[in-house]
Amino acid sequence: MELNPPLEIDKALLKKRNAAETRFKLYGLAAVLTAVLVLGLLLTSIVSKGYTAFEQTYILLDVRLDQATIDPKGTGRQEDLAAASYRGILRDALKEQFPEAESRNEKRSLYGLVGSAAEYDLRNAVLENPKLVGTTATIAVKASDDVDSYIKGFIPRDVPQSDRKIKDQELGWLDTLEADDRVIKKFNIDFFTHADSREPEEAGILGAVIGSLYTLAITLALCFPIGVLTAIYLEEFAPRNRWTDIIEVNINNLAAVPSIVFGLLGLAIFLNFFGLPRSAPLVGGMVLALMTLPTIIIASRAALKAVPPSIREAALGMGASRMQTVFHHVFPLAMPGILTGTILGMAQALGETAPLLMIGMVAFIADIPGSINDAATVLPVQIFLWADSPERGFVEKTSAAIMVLLAFLVVMNAIAVLLRKRFERRW
Amino acid sequence: MDMQNFKTREKAAMAEPKIIARDVNVYYGQSQALKSIELDIAANEVTALIGPSGCGKSTFLRCINRMNDVIESCRVEGRITLEGIDIYNSGLDPVLLRARVGMVFQKPNPFPKSIYDNIAYGPRLHGIASGKDELEATVESSLRRAGLWEEVKDRLDSPGTGLSGGQQQRLCIARAIAVNPEVILMDEPCSALDPIATAKIEELIDELRENFTIVIVTHSMQQAARVSQKTAFFHLGELVEVGETDKLFTSPEDQRTQGYITGRFG
Ligand SMILES: Nc1ncnc2c1ncn2[C@@H]1O[C@H](COP(=O)(O)OP(=O)(O)OP(=O)(O)O)[C@@H](O)[C@H]1O
Ligand SMILES: [Mg+2]
């Protein structure tokens, strides 16, 4: 009997084994590369579509700010200045710039060069600097969304006029303005300070951001304490029997329930039965809390389970009660894992749309919500709404809102990593 | 109480065993781990529990401070008294019992906190030291008694888990004696340590005997012979033989003890 196999066989085997290992490494590398590539493509497409939304086109107009039309009594008080009709003044300035527009239709297209809220730019300029009254000032007013799109290069010139949002005459006017250096681009601060609007150039994400914050605050306030206490009870105190087994199985199953089901539940219970307000962050937060609870419970239990039993024995052996053992030793040690799970759950809740549609958070809301009971929308729903809008101006807004949402997610994950680092201790 | 009376009472207390176990049966679910154990443990002595693996040494040790309570399937029958008080049936809170009966485990298990906080945990928990100064004094004296003070006095704030294995085990002993228990249970305290660290701990055990009653589980018969005054031999859940350590190792009465100490099984 031969105990050692001959060397030649060894070599052949070794070669095969090494080849298999190399192949496996390559597969892994290919998988990672594919993932990175797809992610990169996605990001590139979003950023390239969305970055223009952070700029807004303005038109510089020479506006005659007559004392007689703005402040006939000459009080100079802010209320009186604010009450004046700036729409007329703006139109006069446009007519002065392009006197050739005479027919009703021509005038309508001329007035359409500026955005529907451009008169407020004018008013704000006057309110900021009341000395302008009585002079002719050059003031930047917002261009309409079509002009904005054209200036940003989204509307091609070389197609028949009927297929274009900007007609030949308007193109002529814009060319004149551009030649005069009267078309400028500014950072679009309104995108971050306005709520939603029907007009793309007026629409912003602040309403959705505030709505998301309110909703997430409710979610966190509900599901962190409930989830963590549940996990601690199940992991550290509950006896192992049929009932706890059933609860455990059900929690695991709940984690896999499609989120829209939670929305239906919220609609049936919170809205129809308890009569809570529709479209409110309060209800949205409650629904998302239901959805996030299983995630937090499962993550917290895993974190508690990972604490070595020797720590519990040490504390019990010192005469600590079970509760003291948990809250002095086990829970602090499980904290990093619990926080990571919680933040991942919150990130999931931040990106959730479907259940919120069911409870009416999909309505068009032009106000920034002031409390958890006000009608509101949230970031992903805002993205959904804009993606559904026909205007060209909303295309870039959609991508820009996605960028904002992604930024929030990145920040949350960074916080998770930081917290984990901070709380992490060796044992 | 006059002096005479006190003396006689103290004598009686000396004669009375610290811990008395009578007809102790322990079950894990259906299987019986200990069968009708009868054992007296004298005060201010080291009692060693020896026997082959799985014979129930740890189980018996954990009965003495009711650490078995936390194991759900575990059931303890019979009577164990500590200074005449039935620890299972007299309504004694297991938490208070564990303050009087400390435990040191097989694997050193300091808390992932500073050395200082490791020692201070027990006194804080039981409200023993009042005030910061007293607590500091307790920490120092506990570390001194565990022979660790000189090695760690300059780094009381560094984590206890950063010490060497032998130092960690002495830290655990210091932690146990910080609450001034009457009994210290040790479950193979040296099995994870090298010979030098082991020698230090054995020396320490011998010193601690003066103030504490010690029960130690060990797999090393040399260790049992070195540190203990009494030895109890367990086999398959039964207490086969108990006696003076010298006598048990030189002239055991039972065949099974004979077999175990001469290395024929185990
Ligand atoms: N938590 C438990 N659940 C079920 N059975 C257990 C448990 N702990 C111990 N046992 C059983 O009880 C018996 C005695 O175990 P014990 O740990 O007391 O032995 P031991 O003498 O300490 O052994 P060792 O020297 O290996 O530590 C063994 O048969 C063991 O399988
Ligand atoms: Mg054992």
Side-chain angles (χ1 to χ4, degrees):
Chain A
M1 196 178 75
E2 215 170 0
L3 280 177
N4 293 320
L7 268 174
E8 285 84 287
I9 293 179
D10 245 1
K11 260 187 198 152
L13 256 176
L14 197 65
K15 218 171 160 188
K16 232 171 140 184
R17 221 166 51 182
N18 286 346
E21 227 152 275
T22 316
R23 240 181 350 227
F24 183 75
K25 253 188 220 158
L26 284 179
Y27 292 152
L29 210 61
V32 170
L33 276 181
T34 316
V36 169
L37 205 74
V38 171
L39 196 70
L41 259 171
L42 184 76
L43 279 181
T44 320
S45 110
I46 289 171
V47 171
S48 65
K49 267 193 213 155
Y51 78 97
T52 47
F54 298 116
E55 278 185 337
Q56 168 68 39
T57 309
Y58 282 78
I59 297 175
L60 293 175
L61 286 178
D62 293 329
V63 187
R64 191 134 39 80
L65 299 163
D66 282 338
Q67 175 97 35
T69 36
I70 295 176
D71 189 12
K73 290 193 208 114
T75 59
R77 293 210 318 253
Q78 292 270 319
E79 305 93 271
D80 294 330
L81 293 180
S85 160
Y86 290 96
R87 174 170 301 194
I89 302 172
L90 189 61
R91 290 188 170 176
D92 289 342
L94 282 165
K95 270 189 278 183
E96 214 155 294
Q97 184 81 35
F98 298 109
E100 66 269 29
E102 289 194 322
S103 74
R104 263 177 92 94
N105 270 344
E106 281 175 337
K107 275 189 193 157
R108 180 152 354 107
S109 354
L110 181 61
Y111 301 155
L113 286 182
V114 298
S116 59
E119 59 195 83
Y120 300 111
D121 294 333
L122 188 54
R123 187 181 70 178
N124 290 342
V126 172
L127 288 181
E128 243 167 59
N129 189 1
K131 287 206 192 83
L132 291 178
V133 177
T135 66
T136 299
T138 307
I139 285 169
V141 296
K142 234 181 241 165
S144 74
D145 59 313
D146 288 334
V147 170
D148 187 53
S149 294
Y150 165 73
I151 296 294
K152 284 173 180 167
F154 297 129
I155 296 179
R157 295 181 76 123
D158 47 9
V159 291
Q161 175 166 230
S162 53
D163 295 350
R164 240 191 283 125
K165 278 268 184 149
I166 301 268
K167 306 300 175 202
D168 287 342
Q169 190 178 29
E170 293 160 292
L171 279 183
W173 292 332
L174 284 173
D175 288 344
T176 316
L177 286 171
E178 277 195 286
D180 269 5
D181 279 338
R182 285 180 179 277
V183 179
I184 58 168
K185 279 189 199 163
K186 284 203 211 171
F187 178 68
N188 188 3
I189 190 111
D190 289 350
F191 183 66
F192 296 100
T193 56
H194 282 189
D196 197 8
S197 164
R198 296 281 183 214
E199 308 299 332
E201 75 272 11
E202 287 298 315
I205 51 161
L206 186 63
V209 168
I210 299 285
S212 272
L213 289 182
Y214 277 138
T215 309
L216 282 194
I218 298 285
T219 306
L220 186 65
L222 284 177
C223 70
F224 184 72
I226 298 178
V228 170
L229 286 178
T230 309
I232 288 179
Y233 177 74
L234 287 178
E235 200 56 43
E236 303 288 330
F237 296 99
R240 292 263 171 281
N241 59 28
R242 199 144 42 91
W243 292 111
T244 41
D245 281 350
I246 290 175
I247 291 176
E248 177 158 2
V249 168
N250 276 311
I251 289 173
N252 290 339
N253 283 342
L254 274 182
V257 167
S259 56
I260 193 142
V261 176
F262 289 105
L264 281 169
L265 189 78
L267 177 66
I269 294 180
F270 299 142
L271 296 190
N272 294 346
F273 187 74
F274 286 111
L276 292 172
R278 280 179 69 82
S279 313
L282 175 67
V283 181
M286 284 159 78
V287 168
L288 291 181
L290 289 180
M291 197 199 79
T292 317
L293 257 180
T295 312
I296 293 188
I297 294 174
I298 291 169
S300 303
R301 288 190 69 175
L304 290 167
K305 214 174 262 170
V307 176
S310 63
I311 299 288
R312 292 183 184 85
E313 286 199 321
L316 289 172
M318 287 307 301
S321 68
R322 280 173 96 173
M323 207 181 89
Q324 286 169 328
T325 302
V326 169
F327 285 101
H328 293 172
H329 300 285
V330 180
F331 181 61
L333 287 175
M335 206 56 182
I338 292 176
L339 286 179
T340 309
T342 306
I343 292 183
L344 290 184
M346 296 310 287
Q348 199 185 336
L350 175 63
E352 199 55 67
T353 326
L356 301 180
L357 303 186
M358 303 309 299
I359 54 154
M361 286 189 91
V362 70
F364 169 78
I365 315 273
D367 293 318
I368 293 167
S371 80
I372 53 170
N373 280 320
D374 289 354
T377 189
V378 292
L379 269 173
V381 176
Q382 186 69 75
I383 291 169
F384 167 76
L385 285 172
W386 282 346
D388 225 24
S389 303
E391 287 91 343
R392 181 65 189 75
F394 280 124
V395 175
E396 56 178 21
K397 303 261 158 168
T398 307
S399 293
I402 293 174
M403 280 151 75
V404 172
L405 181 61
L406 287 180
F408 270 100
L409 290 174
V410 167
V411 168
M412 282 171 84
N413 280 319
I415 290 175
V417 172
L418 277 181
L419 283 176
R420 203 162 46 204
K421 279 256 162 65
R422 228 184 101 66
F423 279 93
E424 211 147 56
R425 293 207 194 110
R426 289 180 306 128
W427 54 71
Chain B
M1 198 190 321
D2 64 314
M3 209 56 209
Q4 196 61 38
N5 200 343
F6 182 77
K7 280 261 169 68
T8 47
R9 277 192 59 154
E10 201 179 33
K11 250 199 190 131
M14 289 286 276
E16 179 91 346
K18 186 86 175 173
I19 298 164
I20 304 173
R22 287 290 173 267
D23 195 22
V24 174
N25 290 287
V26 180
Y27 305 84
Y28 289 107
Q30 295 300 317
S31 71
Q32 187 165 9
L34 286 179
K35 293 168 196 156
S36 188
I37 303 297
E38 311 252 337
L39 182 62
D40 292 352
I41 292 167
N44 296 92
E45 275 191 354
V46 178
T47 304
L49 310 182
I50 61 168
S53 188
C55 67
K57 307 178 296 287
S58 300
T59 303
F60 180 71
L61 197 69
R62 294 163 62 90
C63 285
I64 302 175
N65 68 345
R66 294 186 61 171
M67 278 294 275
N68 283 331
D69 287 16
V70 290
I71 301 172
E72 243 174 84
S73 63
C74 185
R75 188 158 48 88
V76 180
E77 286 172 2
R79 224 163 73 91
I80 299 178
T81 60
L82 172 67
E83 289 193 329
I85 304 165
D86 189 331
I87 63 170
Y88 277 93
N89 300 314
S90 65
L92 180 68
D93 192 311
V95 166
L96 290 180
L97 172 70
R98 289 184 203 135
R100 291 175 63 183
V101 182
M103 191 161 194
V104 176
F105 296 83
Q106 178 169 1
K107 213 179 120 240
N109 56 356
F111 298 126
K113 298 172 186 264
S114 72
I115 293 172
Y116 184 92
D117 285 338
N118 261 283
I119 310 291
Y121 183 67
R124 276 184 191 140
L125 192 65
H126 299 293
I128 290 172
S130 57
K132 203 163 158 275
D133 294 345
E134 203 175 317
L135 191 61
E136 263 168 26
T138 308
V139 169
E140 180 175 341
S141 74
S142 307
L143 283 170
R144 274 190 197 284
R145 284 158 92 182
L148 195 59
W149 175 251
E150 290 304 324
E151 289 158 70
V152 300
K153 64 179 175 194
D154 298 323
R155 46 170 173 157
L156 290 176
D157 289 331
S158 57
T161 42
L163 298 172
S164 77
Q167 288 173 326
Q168 285 190 22
Q169 195 61 302
R170 275 181 284 150
L171 180 67
C172 291
I173 294 175
R175 180 177 67 187
I177 59 186
V179 292
N180 217 4
E182 297 157 42
V183 181
I184 302 175
L185 310 174
M186 300 185 175
D187 195 347
E188 303 184 36
C190 302
S191 65
L193 305 181
D194 66 281
I196 294 173
T198 302
K200 273 196 179 157
I201 298 221
E202 286 178 3
E203 210 175 294
L204 173 61
I205 291 172
D206 206 46
E207 283 166 24
L208 292 175
R209 178 162 66 95
E210 207 176 305
N211 298 306
F212 304 98
T213 303
I214 295 172
V215 186
I216 178 171
V217 172
T218 175
H219 270 285
S220 150
M221 275 167 282
Q222 288 83 350
Q223 184 170 66
R226 280 194 300 264
V227 300
S228 72
Q229 284 71 52
K230 296 259 170 51
T231 299
F233 172 63
F234 284 72
H235 183 59
L236 295 176
E238 284 176 55
L239 175 60
V240 174
E241 189 173 345
V242 56
E244 301 285 333
T245 301
D246 298 343
K247 204 177 144 283
L248 189 121
F249 279 111
T250 48
S251 51
E253 280 165 14
D254 197 285
Q255 276 287 284
R256 289 168 289 178
T257 321
Q258 173 84 30
Y260 182 70
I261 60 178
T262 52
R264 253 177 287 143
F265 66 87

